[in-house]
Amino acid sequence: MSYFLGFFQYISDMGATVMMPIIICVMGCILGAGFGKSLRAGLTVGIGFIGLNLVTGLMGNNLAPAVSQMAERFGLSLSVIDVGWPAAAQIAFASTVGTVIIPVCLAVNIVMLLTNTTQTVDVDIWDYWHFAFTGALVAVVTGNQMYGIIAAILNMVIIMVLGDWTASGVEKTLGLPGVSLPHGFTTAYAPIAMLFNWILDKIPGVNKINFDIEKMQKKFGVFGEPILVGTVLGIIIGVVAGYDFPAILALGINLGAVLVLIPKMAALLMEGLIPVSDAASEFIEKKFSNRGKIYIGLDSAVGVGHPMTLSVSLVLVPITVFLAVLLPGNQVMPFADLAVIPWMFVLITPVVNGNGFRALIIGIITLAAGLYIATDLSQWITPAAKAAGFDMGSATAISSICDGANPLTWAITRLNGLNPIIGIAVVGVIAVAMALVNRKKILKEAAEMHAAAN
């Protein structure tokens, strides 16, 4: 058993940029795409991920100093430090739940596929750490590792179903055919976006407001293009941070580059996925007549390139910092994870059908709630981080936006903190109910596809 777990740990330790090409190549071969096509697809996906990491790194390296300067300029000081997603990932994989999460999640995915409760083949095994993080916190709250493992499984089931339900929007709005995003962080915000989008639909006047980047481009020409939008937003952030003139221009140009380069890297990644996605569709059509469409589950990084997602996210960076100070009871100083705000919006964008006004309103609500969630979870994240050997430096309490501000992680952890048996039962009922509703939807779609084909 230890060798089995060690093998998956070894694969995971390679990181997404090495692991994903291997998985994509093997999947392509299994599905009948041929070794040559599969190898090229895997390498292209790997290069796409490297490109995305480089560009998001550029964004983070430019935003972090600006935020630090803002905090210093306005005298902002809060007791809980946002140390970023690396701390959350370390907590997840260093926990007992983390040691078994990859084989357990692979097994769950297979069972869900066989029972028609998901349409997604989730190849993004690196991001299983999001489920392990939830499980690790539940284990801390309950003092029971088994509750933690069960919580991680239920978290995955809920996210897999939400990934299926949002896949059509991913195809239509984000331009990612055959892809779903069962990402533990990103996908948790989809139900919130659905709720508030429905509320905004019911408000006369407000339901007519729409900021659409594509329409802006047509209306304003070059001044509505992502390169100009990113540059202007960067200049505004630089001014708020109190930068000197050359630094303001540098920040503007760098963020303009981010808005141009991220979509290009995402397009490269998609180029690699197309042969595998096509092979998967053909394989399912031949082998499983009772199945509808199959999606390849990927990291939500492939969807951050939408101009509206990036534009709204950049607007929200300074807003988030000031929300942290203005909100009574918040103790988290957002810093390291401000660069992951676009990941929160990947599925909000298709839910609101690219409406920038709604994305902004929902984003402010989501981030305000997220700061309170991150504050509350810090009481368990801090001891979990110490147990995982994370270097906290001089910080006495830590949290993060990813996954410290995750509403689903918070709900599962809190329910189990009140009473683990009731908590697991409630989350279990929700997960099973969602899976059964999804099964009904999948079988209905499959029947319609089969009827249309005949």
Side-chain angles (χ1 to χ4, degrees):
M1 185 66 175
S2 61
Y3 290 109
F4 180 70
L5 295 176
F7 169 75
F8 284 107
Q9 189 63 52
Y10 177 75
I11 295 293
S12 177
D13 288 343
M14 291 181 182
T17 55
V18 175
M19 181 183 67
M20 288 301 295
I22 294 172
I23 293 173
I24 293 296
C25 182
V26 171
M27 272 195 64
C29 291
I30 292 172
L31 295 170
F35 178 72
K37 278 188 177 180
S38 300
L39 178 62
R40 186 183 186 282
L43 292 174
T44 304
V45 167
I47 292 167
F49 267 110
I50 289 171
L52 279 171
N53 288 338
L54 288 172
V55 182
T56 54
L58 173 69
M59 179 171 63
N61 291 337
N62 280 274
L63 278 178
V67 171
S68 180
Q69 188 89 353
M70 271 188 237
E72 185 177 335
R73 187 182 185 199
F74 293 97
L76 310 181
S77 179
L78 295 163
S79 60
V80 179
I81 305 301
D82 167 23
V83 293
W85 69 265
Q90 184 172 334
I91 291 168
F93 279 131
S95 67
T96 301
V97 181
T99 60
V100 300
I101 196 65
I102 293 177
V104 165
C105 286
L106 287 172
V108 170
N109 195 176
I110 291 169
V111 170
M112 291 186 73
L113 287 166
L114 292 174
T115 56
N116 286 315
T117 50
T118 189
Q119 295 167 279
T120 295
V121 180
D122 189 2
V123 301
D124 182 27
I125 65 175
W126 160 256
D127 278 321
Y128 289 176
W129 75 260
H130 296 280
F131 311 133
F133 181 75
T134 300
L137 292 188
V138 169
V140 169
V141 168
T142 63
N144 188 308
Q145 298 296 335
M146 186 52 64
Y147 286 138
I149 293 171
I150 296 171
I153 292 171
L154 295 176
N155 188 357
M156 180 184 183
V157 172
I158 292 170
I159 291 296
M160 291 292 286
V161 173
L162 288 173
D164 285 352
W165 291 354
T166 54
S168 61
V170 169
E171 288 190 322
K172 178 184 174 184
T173 306
L174 303 184
L176 300 173
V179 169
S180 69
L181 305 176
H183 189 272
F185 175 63
T186 299
T187 312
Y189 295 97
I192 296 174
M194 292 172 187
L195 171 63
F196 283 100
N197 189 54
W198 178 82
I199 292 172
L200 291 170
D201 260 337
K202 305 299 178 185
I203 303 175
V206 173
N207 56 13
K208 303 296 183 183
I209 303 173
N210 185 7
F211 301 155
D212 190 305
I213 286 289
E214 292 182 1
K215 289 180 180 177
M216 284 173 60
Q217 285 182 223
K218 292 176 182 176
K219 186 174 182 179
F220 297 107
V222 67
F223 296 101
E225 291 181 6
I227 189 170
L228 264 298
V229 173
T231 301
V232 170
L233 289 174
I235 288 172
I236 293 170
I237 291 171
V239 170
V240 175
Y243 278 7
D244 59 26
F245 186 67
I248 289 171
L249 291 181
L251 181 60
I253 292 170
N254 276 298
L255 293 186
V258 167
L259 260 68
V260 172
L261 293 174
I262 283 185
K264 293 185 183 299
M265 293 303 102
L268 181 63
L269 196 150
M270 278 306 302
E271 179 187 330
L273 285 173
I274 289 171
V276 179
S277 179
D278 290 344
S281 297
E282 291 178 15
F283 180 83
I284 294 299
E285 190 176 335
K286 289 178 183 177
K287 303 292 183 180
F288 302 98
S289 59
N290 67 326
R291 292 305 306 258
K293 190 169 184 176
I294 286 292
Y295 298 103
I296 304 297
L298 294 178
D299 188 308
S300 54
V302 301
V304 298
H306 192 282
M308 184 59 69
T309 299
L310 289 171
S311 300
V312 172
S313 298
L314 289 179
V315 168
L316 283 168
V317 167
I319 291 176
T320 303
V321 175
F322 289 105
L323 276 175
V325 179
L326 296 173
L327 291 173
N330 171 61
Q331 297 174 23
V332 175
M333 179 66 217
F335 176 64
D337 262 351
L338 284 169
V340 307
I341 288 178
W343 272 254
M344 297 176 69
F345 278 85
V346 172
L347 288 179
I348 291 177
T349 297
V351 167
V352 300
N353 200 25
N355 185 322
F357 171 75
R358 294 191 180 195
L360 183 62
I361 297 300
I362 292 171
I364 292 171
I365 294 169
T366 300
L367 284 165
L371 288 169
Y372 283 123
I373 290 171
T375 297
D376 190 46
L377 286 181
S378 68
Q379 62 186 302
W380 296 301
I381 293 175
T382 301
K386 290 178 180 178
F390 182 79
D391 183 5
M392 291 177 44
S394 59
T396 57
I398 65 169
S399 192
S400 64
I401 293 175
C402 175
D403 268 2
N406 187 320
L408 181 57
T409 295
W410 174 78
I412 294 173
T413 302
R414 266 297 180 185
L415 280 170
N416 280 275
L418 294 173
N419 185 305
I421 296 176
I422 294 176
I424 289 294
V426 170
V427 178
V429 168
I430 293 170
V432 171
M434 289 177 66
L436 291 175
V437 170
N438 201 36
R439 172 182 163 83
K440 185 177 180 180
K441 169 181 168 288
I442 290 169
L443 294 178
K444 180 182 178 183
E445 289 178 0
E448 290 173 351
M449 286 176 63
H450 186 68
N454 294 329

